[in-house]
Amino acid sequence: MKTLAELAEIREKMKGKVAMRQNDGNETRIIVGMGTCGIAAGARPVLAALVEEVSKEKLEETVTVTQTGCIGICQYEPVVEVIEPGKEKVTYVKMTAEKAQRVVAEHIKGGKVVTAFTIGANVAK
Amino acid sequence: MIRSHVLICGGTGCTSSGSAKLQTILEQELAARGLTEEIKIVKTGCFGLCEHGPVMIVYPDGTFYSRVQPEDIAEIVEEHLLKGRVVTRLAYTDTGDGEAKTDELPSLSDTAFYRSQQRIALRNCGVINPEVIDEYIAMDGYKALGKVLTEMTPAEVIDVITKSGLRGRGGAGFPTGRKWAFAAATPGEIKYVCCNADEGDPGAFMDRSVLEGDPHAVIEAMTIAGYAIGAHQGYVYVRAEYPIAIERLRIAIAQAKEYGLLGKNIFGSGFDFDLDLRFGAGAFVCGEETALMTSIEGQRGEPRPRPPFPAVKGLFGKPTVLNNVETYANIPLIINNGVEWFNSIGTETSKGTKVFALVGKVNNTGLVEVPMGTPLRTIIEEIGGGIPNGKKFKAAQTGGPSGGCIPAHLIDTPIDYENLLAIGSMMGSGGLIVMDEDTCMVDIAKFFLEFTVDESCGKCTACRIGTKRLLQILDKITSGNGTMEDLDTLEELAAHIKTTALCGLGQTAPNPILSTLRYFKDEYIAHIVDKRCPAGVCKALLSYVIDAEKCKGCTACARKCPVNAISGSVKNPHVIDTAKCIKCGACVETCRFDAIYKK
Ligand SMILES: Cc1cc2nc3c(=O)[nH]c(=O)nc-3n(C[C@H](O)[C@H](O)[C@H](O)COP(=O)(O)O)c2cc1C
Ligand code: SF4
Ligand code: SF4
Ligand code: FES
């Protein structure tokens, strides 16, 4: 027999698992470019790392991770865009799984853009 | 790591258009590309847009794919699931403004079909996998039960339901809280809670969809009702023709028992409640509450006089609450969200939403849930996408065989219990049949009367013989032998049946006639006086004619006619011998010059 506390536990555990079906457009969106070029450049591990981190940090109810086709800047793939409601879009380039973890920790959770990975920083070089 | 959910509709509509096969193919495609660990397939209940089935949604994007065929699956996997590119050709994007969106896809809630809907009873249909109790729990499932059993007294529960203004969704719209209060007030050791899932109205499938898409909502609500009135046993009476609903209920009950959400000492509160299924064989009268209980008792399902009402003397002679599936589906949310929230939806006398099965001559047939007070126009033109083939809207029928029709000039009527009664129809359980200009209203009345004559249990004379007499008169009128006196007889007989029949079936059986007489008397008169069926439906009153101007004398029709009713020589206008013609219509289809028409 389940107690109220056990019910609440299942609820908390499951909420994150179904959260992506309840998008209301107010969540932060992390978009990974998954065109042929992006996949070739290693977008899949980046996508996997993002999904994993978001889930680990229990951010599923406010953050969605999706893919899109080619973003059009193939030389900078893998590309990740972060769109927070009411804020400017941030574009990260030449991403790796490790960089993705930092973006989730510092930007999504900590609220501070990881400037070193942004397209601005990389084009300037 | 699951990064995407693909929801496939497993409702009856989509199952019959092939959704199970899609799921199998999708599983194979995902396995072939090594995506099984990343993408989860979820089989859900009905999304409502059955007309466009089989349907599928891909999350987190929320892309809605309609009319998906087996051969489309590979493309969806390759393009969307692998590369993140929406397969626009299959995406459902109808926002009602006639423009196809290809660059920025509208979200599902912006489409014309969903925009004006508010999903309370259907909240989990098309969202969760109904066969997984944890998914229901994720949507705050069984939270209301927990609250009720640990924080509220039975009287407080009844008070909340009463103040919410919830009324029965199965027919008469009786206040649910009052019904519970009566049963609670009747003394007795043994009481019962029943759920009416008999759903007998032709064309209705609201309750089936709730059971298929969210069975735990009904289980949770019935347990709450049991606590409120002091019952420890419940029965769901469901028609045997609903195999998918029955299967999901079975699974749900087993899971609830395993979790201790049914059974002894739920949440350690000391409250016990058990639930079982009982099957109806599909007799319409078994949806009537006293007949339903008689049927559960194992007797022939015939109504008995009320009072005593079920709340006093119901199942096995014990105090019983019987509510409809959709009524129950509202309960957990009312407990969780409170009286004020529920009060804020709907009209003064009708709170909350109503689910309708939208069928007939309308583009988007399907399941819709709208706040009470939504104008009929919104349901038909916006959600339903209007009438197909550029035809004109003529009337809508609500309330099934007990209801009546709403003519075109009343299309702006806000739909609630009182307004529908005032215009001579009723809410009923939520069937909504849309009719266009090609529908004959006398024929419609006849259709419903044929239904009630078939379904009358025969216990009382007024209904058994009276409805048959009504039908005979309608037959007489549609075959061109009616007289104006027949109209008076119809009204007189109708009044007798309404006042003397024992149960609701007989008492409401004349309604389809009375309401068509009220709004479409001219059509009855056309049948009687002019011997003409204005909509061109009643065969006896039609004749097929060939327009001599248009006829080229090609002889095609004469060769096609099964009874050799057409004569004429090559290159000369042909003629139909109306005495021989059996009105099969074959010649009309054959003629390439549109020379043959109905008169
Ligand atoms: C002939 C007849 C058929 C009925 N069929 C149904 C039915 O299929 N489903 C239903 O919920 N109520 C049906 N009803 C209404 C029930 O008698 C009863 O009022 C209802 O189930 C009570 O639940 P509610 O208060 O939640 O609406 C029918 C009534 C009559 C007279
Ligand atoms: S009204 Fe008709 S269905 Fe109802 S008890 Fe009488 S005969 Fe039977
Ligand atoms: S309607 Fe049928 S029976 Fe009549 S003339 Fe045409 S083909 Fe012959
Ligand atoms: S059954 Fe699939 S949308 Fe209704």
Side-chain angles (χ1 to χ4, degrees):
Chain A
M1 188 200 67
K2 296 274 184 257
T3 62
L4 268 187
E6 284 167 325
L7 184 76
E9 211 171 281
I10 300 176
R11 185 159 58 234
E12 287 320 308
K13 188 187 89 204
M14 288 301 295
K15 267 212 153 78
K17 298 217 161 111
V18 296
M20 74 165 78
R21 299 179 213 161
Q22 293 168 304
N23 287 354
D24 56 5
N26 290 323
E27 43 298 278
T28 295
R29 292 198 298 153
I30 307 179
I31 303 169
V32 184
M34 293 281 275
T36 312
C37 48
I39 293 176
R44 291 180 59 79
V46 173
L47 176 69
L50 286 167
V51 172
E52 211 131 296
E53 282 308 297
V54 165
S55 153
K56 221 191 294 169
E57 301 291 341
K58 301 208 183 316
L59 295 168
E60 292 118 320
E61 279 172 62
T62 49
V63 179
T64 67
V65 182
T66 64
Q67 327 128 265
T68 184
C70 179
I71 293 176
I73 41 173
C74 308
Q75 67 273 36
Y76 295 108
E77 295 281 1
V79 174
V80 171
E81 296 176 333
V82 175
I83 306 176
E84 292 171 283
K87 290 197 195 161
E88 286 267 311
K89 175 170 85 183
V90 177
T91 306
Y92 292 110
V93 299
K94 297 189 175 161
M95 292 294 283
T96 61
E98 293 72 39
K99 288 181 179 176
Q101 285 167 357
R102 276 190 59 193
V103 167
V104 173
E106 294 174 28
H107 181 174
I108 309 294
K109 231 183 147 201
K112 264 182 45 209
V113 176
V114 191
T115 321
F117 305 160
T118 59
I119 186 160
N122 284 275
V123 170
K125 271 177 214 159
Chain B
M1 177 211 66
I2 298 291
R3 60 175 171 85
S4 174
H5 292 186
V6 179
L7 276 58
I8 298 187
C9 177
T12 293
C14 290
T15 302
S16 58
S17 56
S19 66
K21 187 164 173 210
L22 294 186
Q23 181 167 350
T24 316
I25 298 177
L26 181 59
E27 279 161 8
Q28 289 162 357
E29 285 286 332
L30 291 182
R33 286 158 198 270
L35 291 172
T36 316
E37 298 293 305
E38 295 177 33
I39 291 159
K40 181 183 166 96
I41 303 177
V42 184
K43 184 172 81 174
T44 71
C46 176
F47 287 83
L49 207 56
C50 319
E51 171 70 19
H52 295 262
V55 303
M56 214 163 116
I57 297 192
V58 178
Y59 284 111
D61 320 51
T63 311
F64 190 90
Y65 289 123
S66 61
R67 298 201 175 120
V68 181
Q69 297 306 309
E71 55 274 19
D72 298 328
I73 296 289
E75 184 179 351
I76 292 176
V77 172
E78 169 76 26
E79 283 297 302
H80 192 159
L81 299 178
L82 205 60
K83 296 186 182 157
R85 285 194 293 240
V86 170
V87 182
T88 40
R89 132 188 111 74
L90 296 169
Y92 181 77
T93 58
D94 185 5
T95 51
D97 55 10
E99 282 171 45
K101 307 271 184 310
T102 44
D103 42 350
E104 183 73 5
L105 291 178
S107 80
L108 200 51
S109 51
D110 288 335
T111 58
F113 183 75
Y114 287 105
R115 197 165 44 212
S116 299
Q117 294 200 48
Q118 182 173 4
R119 302 193 137 211
I120 295 178
L122 299 178
R123 61 191 173 277
N124 290 330
C125 292
V127 179
I128 64 168
N129 181 338
E131 297 179 7
V132 178
I133 188 172
D134 283 3
E135 293 212 351
Y136 178 67
I137 293 174
M139 300 296 174
D140 288 340
Y142 292 105
K143 196 177 174 182
L145 180 63
K147 181 171 170 184
V148 161
L149 292 186
T150 58
E151 297 170 27
M152 296 169 82
T153 64
E156 282 167 354
V157 176
I158 293 174
D159 193 51
V160 166
I161 301 303
T162 307
K163 291 203 173 116
S164 75
L166 176 66
R167 296 169 65 174
R169 303 294 194 240
F174 191 82
T176 307
R178 273 201 12 234
K179 191 185 270 189
W180 291 16
F182 285 139
T186 312
E189 280 292 299
I190 298 175
K191 298 183 185 180
Y192 294 105
V193 172
C194 296
C195 173
N196 192 339
D198 195 52
E199 194 157 61
D201 285 11
F205 56 94
M206 302 74 59
D207 297 343
R208 184 188 74 200
S209 302
V210 171
L211 293 176
E212 285 176 359
D214 199 15
H216 284 287
V218 174
I219 297 173
E220 181 178 8
M222 289 180 72
T223 314
I224 292 173
Y227 177 72
I229 68 160
H232 303 288
Q233 175 67 47
Y235 293 100
V236 182
Y237 187 84
V238 52
R239 52 176 45 220
E241 292 108 312
Y242 283 179
I244 300 180
I246 291 171
E247 180 59 16
R248 303 239 165 104
L249 269 173
R250 279 213 170 104
I251 294 172
I253 290 174
Q255 290 174 344
K257 283 190 177 159
E258 194 188 311
Y259 273 25
L261 300 167
L262 281 175
K264 297 253 176 273
N265 194 17
I266 303 170
F267 291 128
S269 64
F271 175 69
D272 308 336
F273 192 76
D274 251 310
L275 200 57
D276 286 297
L277 303 181
R278 288 291 179 271
F279 306 111
F284 180 59
V285 77
C286 285
E288 193 278 337
E289 54 185 21
T290 60
L292 183 150
M293 292 180 204
T294 316
S295 171
I296 294 180
E297 288 165 6
Q299 326 268 335
R300 185 191 161 99
E302 278 182 359
R304 58 160 180 77
R306 296 173 309 176
F309 286 96
V312 176
K313 220 168 170 248
L315 187 60
F316 300 112
K318 308 293 181 197
T320 303
V321 153
L322 170 75
N323 279 119
N324 163 264
V325 171
E326 186 187 336
T327 314
Y328 282 125
N330 281 284
I331 302 279
L333 275 201
I334 294 176
I335 302 282
N336 282 338
N337 297 354
V339 165
E340 260 149 49
W341 165 78
F342 199 71
N343 278 178
S344 70
I345 306 159
T347 64
E348 195 50 42
T349 56
S350 310
K351 298 300 181 192
T353 56
K354 180 76 195 82
V355 182
F356 289 100
L358 187 61
V359 296
K361 300 290 174 55
V362 58
N363 280 311
N364 298 332
T365 59
L367 197 67
V368 309
E369 180 171 358
V370 289
M372 295 275 189
T374 301
L376 182 61
R377 186 188 293 280
T378 308
I379 301 177
I380 293 176
E381 291 182 358
E382 187 179 319
I383 300 174
I387 317 295
N389 307 322
K391 298 274 182 180
K392 273 218 311 275
F393 169 66
K394 182 168 185 179
Q397 161 89 20
T398 64
S402 310
C405 60
I406 309 169
H409 74 270
L410 295 175
I411 193 171
D412 289 308
T413 308
I415 304 292
D416 71 4
Y417 292 100
E418 275 64 33
N419 284 340
L420 284 181
L421 279 181
I423 59 176
S425 186
M426 64 181 262
M427 185 73 81
S429 56
L432 186 60
I433 305 171
V434 181
M435 298 175 275
D436 69 4
E437 54 193 300
D438 292 341
T439 314
C440 166
M441 301 313 284
V442 187
D443 187 58
I444 281 292
K446 206 170 89 180
F447 167 80
F448 283 112
L449 256 294
E450 277 166 1
F451 182 83
T452 37
V453 166
D454 273 351
E455 295 291 341
S456 166
C457 79
K459 186 165 179 170
C460 60
T461 324
C463 172
R464 184 182 67 241
I465 300 175
T467 54
K468 193 153 226 162
R469 287 284 295 127
L470 288 177
L471 180 58
Q472 280 166 354
I473 298 174
L474 290 181
D475 268 335
K476 191 174 155 202
I477 295 175
T478 54
S479 56
N481 302 316
T483 62
M484 287 304 282
E485 290 73 49
D486 285 334
L487 296 186
D488 300 330
T489 317
L490 278 180
E491 288 194 338
E492 199 182 321
L493 191 54
H496 279 304
I497 299 174
K498 274 173 95 83
T499 48
T500 53
L502 171 61
C503 85
L505 191 152
Q507 288 158 7
T508 57
N511 287 356
I513 298 182
L514 294 175
S515 114
T516 45
L517 264 179
R518 175 166 165 187
Y519 295 114
F520 297 97
K521 197 162 194 168
D522 53 323
E523 259 181 65
Y524 280 85
I525 295 175
H527 283 76
I528 294 168
V529 178
D530 311 337
K531 308 289 175 212
R532 194 171 62 82
C533 173
V537 172
C538 298
K539 274 197 173 179
L541 301 180
L542 292 179
S543 46
Y544 286 81
V545 249
I546 296 176
D547 185 339
E549 302 269 293
K550 284 188 180 168
C551 176
K552 301 263 191 273
C554 75
T555 75
C557 60
R559 279 178 278 131
K560 188 86 184 178
C561 177
V563 291
N564 295 322
I566 305 181
S567 56
S569 51
V570 186
K571 299 212 171 142
N572 287 312
H574 283 44
V575 266
I576 295 175
D577 179 351
T578 42
K580 273 193 187 166
C581 171
I582 54 164
K583 298 165 191 173
C584 68
C587 53
V588 181
E589 319 234 313
T590 310
C591 182
R592 284 181 291 129
F593 310 101
D594 279 337
I596 309 176
Y597 60 96
K598 292 192 280 189
K599 193 175 79 170

